[in-house]
Amino acid sequence: MIARAALVALVALTTTFGFAAPFAAPPPKDRGEYRPAVKDPVLKELEEANAAADEASAKATSDLLEVQDQEKKAREAARRDFRVDLSGLSRPRGPEDFSGRAWAFP
């Protein structure tokens, strides 16, 4: 008798919750909610390490740019122009003006 009552109760619960569960209203998905912000300590450490690496990188970059700027200024100061005065030379009239074998053929 108890076993039969337990079986009936089990069937009733299974039937009720088995059929009622799909018809229960799901929680609304089109609503936002505010939750307290939680900062992960590992993520915070990683962000601090990234910030330190960025600062070191920026410092190294600025040092390198300063050196390159100084080198550029030194090159500009040491720059020389090459000039040739060809006003005293006359143009050859042809291959007969050259001695020996002609090196260019028209």
Side-chain angles (χ1 to χ4, degrees):
M1 184 77 156
I2 294 176
R4 183 175 165 91
L7 182 62
V8 170
L10 181 63
V11 170
L13 287 174
T14 305
T15 307
T16 303
F17 290 116
F19 289 123
F23 299 110
K29 294 185 178 181
D30 60 346
R31 302 197 189 264
E33 70 179 62
Y34 286 99
R35 294 183 181 175
V38 178
K39 192 71 166 180
D40 187 15
V42 175
L43 183 61
K44 185 177 180 181
E45 290 177 15
L46 289 174
E47 288 175 350
E48 289 172 356
N50 283 341
D54 287 344
E55 288 176 15
S57 174
K59 171 91 169 94
T61 301
S62 67
D63 292 345
L64 182 63
L65 289 175
E66 284 180 25
V67 169
Q68 288 177 347
D69 191 35
Q70 291 171 358
E71 289 175 353
K72 183 178 178 181
K73 287 178 182 178
R75 279 194 310 269
E76 287 294 322
R79 183 175 173 213
R80 298 183 305 166
D81 290 335
F82 182 72
R83 303 216 183 243
V84 177
D85 182 16
L86 300 176
S87 62
L89 295 178
S90 62
R91 186 173 181 188
R93 290 173 293 201
E96 62 276 356
D97 287 347
F98 292 99
S99 62
R101 197 163 149 190
W103 54 272
F105 300 99

